[in-house]
Every structure is written in C-alpha cells, then in structure tokens.
C-alpha cells in the first residue's frame, strides 16, 4: 500500500531541478524499503542522470523488493541517458508508484508496459494533480513543439503598468519582484519588444543567487537596438536572440555594418515574417520550439502583450496587483493595441491561483 508522504517527498525533490533541466521535465524519485527511505534523487540538470538512476546511486542498502515513488512515468528509450526502466528492473524493485503519465510519444504508456512485463507492480496517478502541476511547461512543449508562454506584468488597482511619464519603478513590491525573478529562473526564455529596450535599457537577467539567466528574445522588426544598450553589451555572457523582420533581408546590405556589429557582440539574429507590421509571433514560437526553447516569459509593454494575446500564443498570465491607484489617461496599460471589437470576442482565461505577496496580490490565469 502506498504512502502519500513519499510521493510528496519526490515532488519536493523534483522542484530542485527548476531552471536546470529545460527542456526536460522536473522529476523526483524516492526508494522505500520497510517503511524507510533508502535512496532518493532527482533530475539535476539537462543531460544528467534521470531521477530514478540518481536515486539508485544514493542507495544505503540493497533495493530488492523495495518500492519506488516517481513523479513521472519512467522512460524506456535511449536519449542522453539509458532507459530508467532497465535500472528499475536490474535493482529488482517490487512496486512502482507513479504520479504523472509521460505524454512524450517515445514513452507514453511504454514505460509502464516494460515494467509490468518484467513482473513489477505499477500503480499510476498517485497525487496526479500535484505531479502534473510541476510540469505544465514540459507537457505543453513535448506535445505542441512550441514554448509555453507566460505573459507577466505588474499593475496598479486601476490597471496601469507605468505613470504618464513612463516611470514604472516600482509598481510592485519587493516580494513580488523576487517572485518574478524566480519565474525568470524557471523559464528558458524572456521576450520583450524593442520599445521596452529603448525606454528602459534592461538587462533581463535573473537576479537571484545561483539563478539561471533566461535566453533574451528581443522583437525588433527594424533592427533598431542600440549597440551601446545593456542587452548588446552583455550578449556574450547571456544568450540573446534578436528577431528581425524578413522584410529587412531585401536591403540588408545597407545595414551590413549594424548587422556585423551585432554578430560580433554575440547577438543571434533571426528573421521572421511580419503580420500587420509586427513580428508574427505564432511563426516565431514555432521557430523557438525548434531551438529547444520550451518556455518564454513575455515582460514587454502593452504593444507586444496585445500582439501575443491576439495571436493566441499565451498559455498563462501572471499579474502582480499592487494596492495603488496611478490614474492618468496617458498612463500606460498592460495590453494596448487596437483591442477586440466586443467583450464576447475577448481572449478568455481561467483563474488558477491567488496569492498574497506582502500587500500585493498575485493573480495567475490559464488560457481556456
């Protein structure tokens, strides 16, 4: 009979891989014998040992006849690591308790079948919702082949993200800003429009100790990014992708000096079609998916936010609501553009979470 506390421990372990395993899933594993943990592990980094094999190398006694709790269906194919199901069989595990099914077509159901054929009892969907919740990025990416997109912004009670002067520091409080940095650590990429770069000259890095800097993706149709911007100056240290309109290819020779300077500074320049004068974000997401970028935070202004919502690429919205009123008809709002014609045509989202943030409120929505 299973004990939920061991699966909860496996979930806790899995979360330790945040920011280090993308585009792989977060996975934790616990080995139990005679109601005692004799081994545990998690997927620590992309290309490294999977959770099950990491747990086996920590064994304090023989695992024959033991139970294994693992948050995701064990893999059964050769990738950067050998199949975990083989290690489970070799160690003569008796019962395997699994949280989430793996939607990867190379694994889906096959891991279970392999274990069962080798006489191992398999019990699925143990704390499934909690196990699924830690891998929303992976599940989307592995099935859609495009990044999981999170639209994130801080706003006042009256829906402003900056004053009429353009000043936005600080709408949210320190707790909210730290949480935002945790999000940067979790995701593969962060995307803004050129307007944000020109107005704020941001770094877009992760400012927490030991954190992972997301890949910076700048939508800049006309290649306007300044060579002396923080983004360009730090591109050799933090991977940076400049997304330029395909339209520029026809007269790229006239911009050859600027293009070469960007390349010399370490900027990756990619060309994408436009839609209504803006980078086609749907095409861009397909391209980023092919580049193994499994998740993108959009932290831009109202223009790119509207383009993302209109393109239907947004999977999740995170809003940090500050207890302030800015006012001002010229103050900036989170989503601008032309807007939808009627409320019935508006993009729909479902509230998933509310969390108090020392006075601010985090509102987390998912697309419907």
């Amino acid at each position: 009979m299973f004990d939920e506390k061991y699966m909860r421990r496996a979930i806790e372990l899995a979360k330790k891989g945040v920011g280090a395993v993308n585009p792989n899933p977060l996975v934790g594993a616990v080995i139990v014998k005679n109601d005692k943990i004799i081994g545990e592990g998690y997927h620590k980094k992309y290309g490294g040992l999977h959770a099950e094999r990491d747990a086996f190398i920590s064994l304090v006694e023989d695992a024959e006849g033991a139970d294994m709790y693992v948050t995701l269906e064990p893999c059964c194919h050769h990738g950067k690591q050998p199949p975990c199901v083989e290690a489970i069989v070799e160690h003569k595990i008796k019962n395997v308790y699994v949280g989430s099914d793996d939607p990867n077509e190379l694994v889906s159901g096959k891991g279970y079948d392999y274990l069962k054929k080798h006489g191992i009892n398999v019990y699925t969907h143990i704390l499934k919702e909690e196990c699924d919740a830690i891998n929303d990025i992976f599940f989307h990416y592995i099935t859609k082949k495009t990044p999981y997109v999170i639209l994130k912004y801080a706003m006042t009670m009256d829906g402003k993200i900056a004053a009429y002067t353009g000043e936005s520091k600080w709408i949210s409080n320190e707790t909210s800003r730290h949480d935002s940095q945790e999000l940067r650590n979790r995701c593969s990429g962060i995307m803004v429009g050129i307007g944000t770069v020109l107005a704020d000259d941001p770094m877009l890095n992760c400012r927490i100790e030991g954190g992972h800097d997301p890949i910076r993706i700048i939508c800049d149709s006309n290649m306007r990014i300044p060579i002396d911007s923080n983004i360009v100056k730090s591109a050799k240290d933090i991977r940076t992708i400049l997304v330029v309109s395909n339209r520029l290819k026809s007269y790229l020779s006239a911009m050859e000096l600027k293009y070469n300077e960007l390349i010399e500074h370490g900027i990756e320049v990619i060309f994408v079609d436009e839609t209504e004068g803006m980078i086609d974000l749907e095409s861009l997401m397909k391209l980023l998916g092919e580049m193994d970028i499994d998740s993108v935070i959009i932290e831009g202004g109202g223009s790119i936010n509207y383009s993302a919502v209109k393109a239907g690429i947004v999977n999740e919205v995170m809003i940090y609501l500050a207890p302030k009123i800015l006012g001002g008809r010229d103050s900036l709002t989170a989503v601008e553009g032309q807007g939808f014609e009627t409320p019935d045509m508006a993009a729909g989202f479902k509230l998933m979470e509310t969390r108090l943030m020392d006075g601010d409120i985090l509102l987390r929505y998912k697309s419907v």
Side-chain angles (χ1 to χ4, degrees):
M1 188 68 180
F2 72 89
D3 190 329
E4 287 186 357
K5 70 182 179 186
Y6 297 124
M7 186 61 81
R8 294 193 191 283
R9 174 58 182 164
I11 293 171
E12 182 182 342
L13 289 166
K15 291 178 179 178
K16 291 185 176 185
V18 166
V21 304
N22 308 60
N24 280 355
L26 297 168
V27 187
V30 174
I31 304 169
V32 180
K33 191 172 183 179
N34 298 323
D35 202 27
K36 181 181 73 173
I37 293 177
I38 62 170
E40 60 181 28
Y42 66 99
H43 186 31
K44 291 182 171 67
K45 64 179 181 179
Y46 178 70
L49 288 176
H50 290 185
E52 298 92 329
R53 289 183 179 272
D54 190 50
F56 284 130
I57 66 172
S58 74
L59 284 171
V60 296
E61 63 177 90
D62 190 276
E64 183 174 356
D67 299 332
M68 172 172 274
Y69 290 77
V70 59
T71 55
L72 183 70
E73 178 180 356
C75 69
C76 55
H77 68 288
H78 284 269
K80 291 185 179 297
Q81 294 291 331
C84 290
V85 289
E86 292 179 359
I88 293 172
V89 171
E90 288 168 6
H91 283 84
K92 300 181 180 179
I93 295 293
K94 181 178 180 180
N95 302 301
V96 174
Y97 299 98
V98 183
S100 300
D101 301 328
D102 191 337
N104 185 345
E105 60 185 15
L106 297 174
V107 180
S108 186
K110 301 180 182 70
Y112 298 147
D113 291 342
Y114 185 97
L115 295 175
K116 291 174 183 177
K117 287 177 181 176
H118 287 80
I120 295 173
N121 301 314
V122 178
Y123 304 90
T124 62
H125 300 172
I126 310 301
L127 300 185
K128 183 179 186 299
E129 287 188 11
E130 294 172 50
C131 290
D132 285 353
I134 64 174
N135 275 316
D136 45 6
I137 288 174
F138 172 73
F139 292 153
H140 172 88
Y141 178 70
I142 202 68
T143 55
K144 305 296 184 182
K145 312 301 182 187
T146 59
Y148 184 88
V149 177
I150 301 173
L151 176 60
K152 192 229 79 176
Y153 53 86
M155 72 178 188
T156 59
M157 292 163 59
D158 54 336
K160 310 298 185 182
I161 63 170
Y164 72 91
T165 60
E167 185 61 51
S168 61
K169 295 181 180 177
W170 293 105
I171 295 291
S172 58
N173 64 27
E174 188 174 344
T175 300
S176 293
R177 297 197 299 273
H178 179 78
D179 192 68
S180 179
Q181 295 298 316
E182 294 285 359
L183 181 63
R184 289 186 183 184
N185 181 50
R186 176 188 173 207
C187 293
S188 293
I190 182 169
M191 184 169 77
V192 301
I194 186 59
T196 295
V197 175
L198 296 175
D200 300 336
D201 194 20
M203 277 291 291
L204 302 179
N205 59 334
C206 180
R207 296 188 294 274
I208 57 176
E209 188 175 352
H212 148 81
D213 289 325
I215 299 166
R216 301 177 303 191
I217 303 155
I218 315 299
C219 292
D220 183 11
S221 295
N222 297 306
M223 207 186 292
R224 291 191 292 153
I225 191 167
I227 294 296
D228 63 351
S229 64
N230 283 324
I231 292 291
V232 174
K233 288 190 294 187
S234 59
K236 288 185 178 178
D237 298 318
I238 304 173
R239 186 180 175 190
T240 304
I241 299 170
L242 192 72
V243 187
V244 178
S245 169
N246 258 327
R247 171 176 45 81
L248 261 67
K249 280 186 174 180
S250 61
Y251 56 94
L252 190 58
S253 58
M255 305 185 71
E256 186 175 4
L257 179 61
K258 176 73 172 285
Y259 177 83
N260 288 338
E261 281 188 286
L262 292 172
I263 299 299
E264 288 172 8
H265 277 82
I267 298 282
E268 298 175 38
V269 180
I270 61 174
F271 295 87
V272 177
D273 289 337
E274 287 182 321
T275 298
E276 298 178 0
M278 303 283 288
I279 294 294
D280 186 318
L281 295 182
E282 192 172 2
S283 297
L284 175 58
M285 290 305 114
K286 291 177 182 177
L287 186 56
L288 295 178
E290 292 169 2
M291 298 167 73
D292 290 336
I293 297 174
D294 68 353
S295 49
V296 171
I297 316 160
I298 300 177
E299 282 197 24
S303 180
I304 195 169
N305 290 353
Y306 174 65
S307 294
V309 172
K310 186 178 180 183
I313 66 167
V314 177
N315 303 107
E316 184 173 325
V317 180
M318 293 181 66
I319 304 170
Y320 296 92
L321 180 63
K324 304 172 183 177
I325 293 178
L326 261 178
R329 63 173 172 241
D330 295 325
S331 296
L332 304 182
T333 58
V335 183
E336 297 176 354
Q338 181 178 347
F340 296 96
E341 293 179 19
T342 67
D344 288 343
M345 297 173 66
F349 295 86
K350 178 182 179 181
L351 180 63
M352 303 299 294
E353 178 188 6
T354 60
R355 194 194 320 160
L356 289 174
M357 310 288 287
D358 288 340
D360 289 355
I361 299 174
L362 170 62
L363 303 171
R364 190 170 69 88
Y365 298 83
K366 286 199 174 184
S367 60
V368 294

